[in-house]
Amino acid sequence: MPESRIPAAQVRRFLATAFESLGLPRADAATVAELMTEAELQGSDGHGVIRLVPYARRIRAGGLNLHPDIRVVKEKAAMALVDGDNGMGHLVMKKAAEIAIAKAKQCGVAWVGSRVSNHAGPASLYARMCLRHDMVGMYFAVGNANHLPPWGGLDMLLSTNPIAVAVPAGEEPPVVLDMATTVAAYGKVKAKAQRGEQMPVGWMIDRQGQPLTDPKRAEEGFLMPIGGYKGYGLAMIVGLLAGTLNGAAMGSEVVDFNKDDTTITNTGQAIVAIDPDAFGELDAFKARVDKLVRELRASERMPGVDRIWMPGEQSHAKKLANEREGLALPRALHDQLDTFAREMGIPLLQDS
Amino acid sequence: MPESRIPAAQVRRFLATAFESLGLPRADAATVAELMTEAELQGSDGHGVIRLVPYARRIRAGGLNLHPDIRVVKEKAAMALVDGDNGMGHLVMKKAAEIAIAKAKQCGVAWVGSRVSNHAGPASLYARMCLRHDMVGMYFAVGNANHLPPWGGLDMLLSTNPIAVAVPAGEEPPVVLDMATTVAAYGKVKAKAQRGEQMPVGWMIDRQGQPLTDPKRAEEGFLMPIGGYKGYGLAMIVGLLAGTLNGAAMGSEVVDFNKDDTTITNTGQAIVAIDPDAFGELDAFKARVDKLVRELRASERMPGVDRIWMPGEQSHAKKLANEREGLALPRALHDQLDTFAREMGIPLLQDS
């Protein structure tokens, strides 16, 4: 099955029209379309275009507020707590990132948390927003479905709770870590299912502790945390910082948005902006990052290794290639978008 | 070989006298002794009393400044950069934590970095300082010797760069994560060597990629990052935040303080204090943490699992037991301390 290559601008226009047809105000539809296309461009295919149909399902079921009053409910010089009023997470976290950046410009560092937010796409999207202001960005989120138990347990009370950190460089691409606290993110499991592929051993186990490799059986098992109990600890801590601290859902309060389209998810996230200019000369900092990147890349390599990659370097290369060559959407996804467009009476992706 | 149990107060007195005999001012010797004993109490045996002799070696070699001018060199409302003037890391990071807590009280959140600092003991020691002020604490550090290569590489350019996060609870013990970004911390490797034990498969591999289990051969191999490339990414990011951002050593600049007693290590660390009271009601937050802890603990368990532990819960229990029963120091370590005391002409541990 050949994959079609579609210019990013066309995908962006299609998504904007799609969200407008679902009832989002034009400016909000454009923002969400922009961020989802950005996710697709950087290769976060589990958090990109594939999410349109589930988002649409929730919107039609009344589970998302199309006209939210996204507002700061608590504030100090270097922090804010944003109530997303159950709006789309992209809108909430874009606003949160803007507040964090403005406060960090004043205070050197700022931390903005969210509650009553929703799924906002890949973690790195928001950490990367800080890069445009020459800042370091960190992002934490409570995932929107629980897929792992506490270490030694069987009840799925924790999500993959991702961490992203973006660090600006000088001539080198920025260093961007974007990782789930599990060996694989659940979005990757869904992408495997969509592509009809099997998962590697080690991504999931079933309740008997046996490897689970069929992504269609994902509901029968749970994701494995990285480093065993360490990953469990990280998932819990990220949840405490992004969820519990903000009065957002954590543990059994987390709503499985794959199964439940109406209950308010009360998703919690946090973004931290750090201004390197407060710590010293910005250019000197960037030069030190470049030096480190080059030194790591130049390391002697293990047999069979062609290149040493920095965190985020492959996403960066993918983005450049996708911008040049267009986005490659799997046939099944393309068909799904066509069906959606016909249902909504909007132009097909290829006509957008 | 039976282990002797020694009251913590006696260990503290012995260490204070030891550091004073090495030339530290009395108040500084007391601070370092206090923090090293605290480390031992919580079960961080790789970072406790075992470090006296290596610290002493560096002090005698002139590699540590006994009268440092520890000072803020950059500052904004929610951040500071502290220059440790090559003083003992414990003194630098205690001061950094105090500054972070005071600033967070004002701004809600504060981040304090260090440079020209030194090894400061277990990461959780400083994150825990925030707990006494009902704050969340985070700590990042560049480790003091490189033990892992970039993912796919062979040159040891990264350290175990630990992360600690401490979250206050209500009736439950605080949740405290303290983890190296490697499967095992190097301190644990050294503790295994000291105890004459083998390491489990998975802690280290040699340059041929084969498991390395003899801790005495540790120099022939490197530590494995958690989750493979994810742990490599975390180690790099922690190093960027705790080292590069502060103008401290990172990559090939890191001085191996096990082998080199004189070169200034220029160690970098960072501490973040977050005031939950700024995000809402403190007591309500603590109650939510308690609820989450109890929910996770009550999870159905895998066969053979007696109890589900929270991060830091075992350290907490160990601390209570050690305070009650005294510290159990391995015979070899006790002998080492006796030798040290005789050399310095100070009372033996048992007479302290």
Side-chain angles (χ1 to χ4, degrees):
Chain A
M1 280 193 293
E3 290 181 336
S4 51
R5 285 272 181 184
I6 301 153
Q10 202 169 326
V11 172
R12 199 179 294 118
R13 280 194 302 272
F14 174 78
L15 289 173
T17 309
F19 282 105
E20 232 186 306
S21 76
L22 287 162
L24 262 77
R26 174 164 295 189
D28 288 352
T31 297
V32 175
E34 172 75 34
L35 289 168
M36 283 175 70
T37 307
E38 192 72 15
E40 196 72 32
L41 277 168
Q42 71 179 38
S44 305
D45 54 0
H47 289 282
V49 183
I50 200 174
R51 300 281 179 155
L52 171 62
V53 170
Y55 289 154
R57 208 174 56 223
R58 175 166 270 271
I59 288 170
R60 285 157 167 168
L64 272 164
N65 184 353
L66 297 177
H67 301 280
D69 176 19
I70 301 167
R71 64 203 183 280
V72 172
V73 288
K74 295 288 283 182
E75 188 171 21
K76 278 197 153 187
M79 64 71 62
L81 175 59
V82 171
D83 187 308
D85 198 19
N86 199 31
M88 287 200 69
H90 306 71
L91 304 173
V92 181
M93 286 320 292
K94 184 170 185 241
K95 180 158 183 174
E98 286 163 359
I99 296 168
I101 290 161
K103 283 179 178 278
K105 198 65 96 181
Q106 290 301 314
C107 298
V109 174
W111 182 300
V112 178
S114 73
R115 68 180 179 211
V116 204
S117 180
N118 278 291
H119 184 263
S124 57
L125 219 47
Y126 304 95
R128 276 182 188 277
M129 282 184 183
C130 299
L131 295 177
R132 274 167 245 150
H133 301 265
D134 279 327
M135 289 192 190
V136 173
M138 299 177 73
Y139 177 88
F140 307 104
V142 181
N144 288 97
N146 286 336
H147 296 293
L148 72 157
W151 189 245
L154 288 169
D155 295 341
M156 292 198 289
L157 290 164
L158 293 166
S159 188
T160 56
N161 298 353
I163 300 171
V165 183
V167 179
E171 294 166 10
E172 294 291 336
V175 180
V176 182
L177 181 75
D178 182 349
M179 55 172 262
T181 42
T182 45
V183 176
Y186 201 70
K188 288 200 173 182
V189 174
K190 283 195 281 195
K192 283 278 183 196
Q194 180 112 29
R195 291 180 193 273
E197 294 169 7
Q198 292 292 295
M199 301 183 288
V201 170
W203 280 24
M204 295 189 79
I205 53 173
D206 64 20
R207 291 175 64 85
Q208 284 69 47
Q210 297 304 307
L212 187 81
T213 56
D214 180 358
K216 295 198 180 67
R217 287 180 53 217
E219 294 198 7
E220 296 167 37
F222 37 76
L223 296 170
M224 287 294 287
I226 55 168
Y229 68 91
K230 292 190 178 190
Y232 149 58
L234 263 183
M236 181 178 179
I237 287 289
V238 169
L240 283 164
L241 295 175
T244 311
L245 182 63
N246 302 337
M250 185 50 192
S252 61
E253 299 156 358
V254 168
V255 174
D256 185 344
F257 77 157
N258 299 304
K259 293 177 189 158
D260 175 344
D261 289 329
T262 54
T263 309
I264 292 177
T265 65
N266 189 15
T267 302
Q269 292 121 340
I271 180 138
V272 188
I274 305 155
D275 187 2
D277 209 39
F279 289 75
E281 284 300 310
L282 176 67
D283 288 341
F285 170 69
K286 288 180 165 183
R288 290 198 299 273
V289 176
D290 280 355
K291 177 174 173 282
L292 179 69
V293 163
R294 288 165 186 169
E295 186 174 273
L296 294 176
R297 189 186 288 134
S299 163
E300 190 186 341
R301 295 189 299 274
M302 282 188 168
V305 173
D306 289 333
R307 185 187 166 110
I308 288 171
W309 294 97
M310 297 305 114
E313 200 176 11
Q314 284 172 293
S315 284
H316 186 81
K318 212 173 279 179
K319 191 180 167 185
L320 295 180
N322 285 338
E323 279 172 344
R324 209 169 45 234
E325 297 159 25
L327 291 162
L329 304 182
R331 193 65 246 166
L333 176 57
H334 205 141
D335 290 348
Q336 204 182 52
L337 298 180
D338 285 352
T339 306
F340 176 86
R342 287 192 191 96
E343 273 171 29
M344 300 302 291
I346 61 169
L348 299 179
L349 175 55
Q350 55 265 42
D351 304 324
S352 293
Chain B
M1 278 191 292
E3 290 181 336
S4 50
R5 285 269 181 186
I6 301 153
Q10 201 170 327
V11 172
R12 199 179 294 117
R13 279 193 302 270
F14 174 77
L15 290 172
T17 308
F19 281 107
E20 234 187 303
S21 76
L22 287 162
L24 261 77
R26 175 164 293 189
D28 289 352
T31 297
V32 175
E34 172 75 36
L35 290 167
M36 283 175 69
T37 307
E38 192 71 16
E40 195 73 32
L41 277 167
Q42 70 179 38
S44 305
D45 54 1
H47 289 282
V49 183
I50 200 174
R51 300 282 179 156
L52 170 63
V53 170
Y55 289 154
R57 208 175 55 223
R58 176 166 270 272
I59 288 171
R60 285 159 168 168
L64 272 164
N65 184 352
L66 297 178
H67 302 279
D69 175 18
I70 301 168
R71 65 203 183 278
V72 171
V73 288
K74 297 287 285 182
E75 189 169 22
K76 278 196 151 190
M79 64 71 62
L81 175 59
V82 171
D83 187 308
D85 197 20
N86 199 32
M88 286 201 70
H90 306 71
L91 304 174
V92 181
M93 287 318 293
K94 185 171 184 241
K95 179 156 184 174
E98 286 164 359
I99 296 169
I101 289 161
K103 283 179 177 278
K105 199 64 98 180
Q106 291 300 314
C107 298
V109 175
W111 182 301
V112 178
S114 74
R115 69 178 178 211
V116 203
S117 180
N118 278 290
H119 184 265
S124 57
L125 219 47
Y126 303 94
R128 277 182 189 275
M129 283 185 183
C130 298
L131 296 176
R132 274 166 246 153
H133 301 265
D134 279 326
M135 290 194 190
V136 174
M138 300 177 72
Y139 177 88
F140 308 104
V142 181
N144 288 97
N146 286 335
H147 296 293
L148 73 156
W151 190 244
L154 288 169
D155 295 340
M156 292 199 289
L157 290 164
L158 293 166
S159 188
T160 56
N161 298 354
I163 299 171
V165 184
V167 179
E171 295 166 8
E172 293 290 336
V175 181
V176 182
L177 181 74
D178 182 349
M179 53 173 263
T181 43
T182 44
V183 175
Y186 202 70
K188 289 200 174 183
V189 174
K190 282 194 281 192
K192 283 278 184 198
Q194 181 113 29
R195 291 179 192 277
E197 293 169 9
Q198 292 291 296
M199 300 183 288
V201 170
W203 279 24
M204 296 189 78
I205 53 173
D206 63 21
R207 291 176 64 87
Q208 284 70 47
Q210 296 304 308
L212 186 80
T213 55
D214 180 357
K216 297 200 179 68
R217 285 182 52 217
E219 294 198 5
E220 297 167 34
F222 37 79
L223 296 169
M224 287 292 288
I226 56 168
Y229 67 92
K230 292 190 177 189
Y232 149 57
L234 264 184
M236 182 179 178
I237 287 289
V238 169
L240 283 164
L241 295 175
T244 311
L245 182 62
N246 302 337
M250 185 49 193
S252 62
E253 298 155 359
V254 169
V255 174
D256 184 344
F257 78 158
N258 300 305
K259 292 179 191 160
D260 176 343
D261 290 329
T262 54
T263 309
I264 292 178
T265 66
N266 189 14
T267 301
Q269 292 120 340
I271 180 136
V272 189
I274 306 156
D275 186 3
D277 208 41
F279 290 75
E281 284 301 309
L282 176 68
D283 288 340
F285 170 69
K286 288 179 167 184
R288 290 199 299 274
V289 176
D290 280 354
K291 178 174 174 282
L292 179 70
V293 163
R294 288 163 187 171
E295 186 173 274
L296 294 176
R297 189 186 288 135
S299 163
E300 192 186 338
R301 296 189 297 273
M302 282 187 168
V305 173
D306 290 332
R307 186 189 165 112
I308 289 171
W309 295 96
M310 298 304 113
E313 201 177 9
Q314 285 172 290
S315 284
H316 185 81
K318 211 172 280 178
K319 191 181 165 183
L320 296 181
N322 284 337
E323 279 171 343
R324 211 169 44 236
E325 297 160 24
L327 291 162
L329 304 182
R331 193 65 246 168
L333 176 57
H334 205 139
D335 291 347
Q336 206 182 51
L337 298 180
D338 284 351
T339 306
F340 175 87
R342 287 191 190 99
E343 273 172 29
M344 301 302 292
I346 61 169
L348 298 181
L349 175 55
Q350 56 264 41
D351 304 325
S352 293

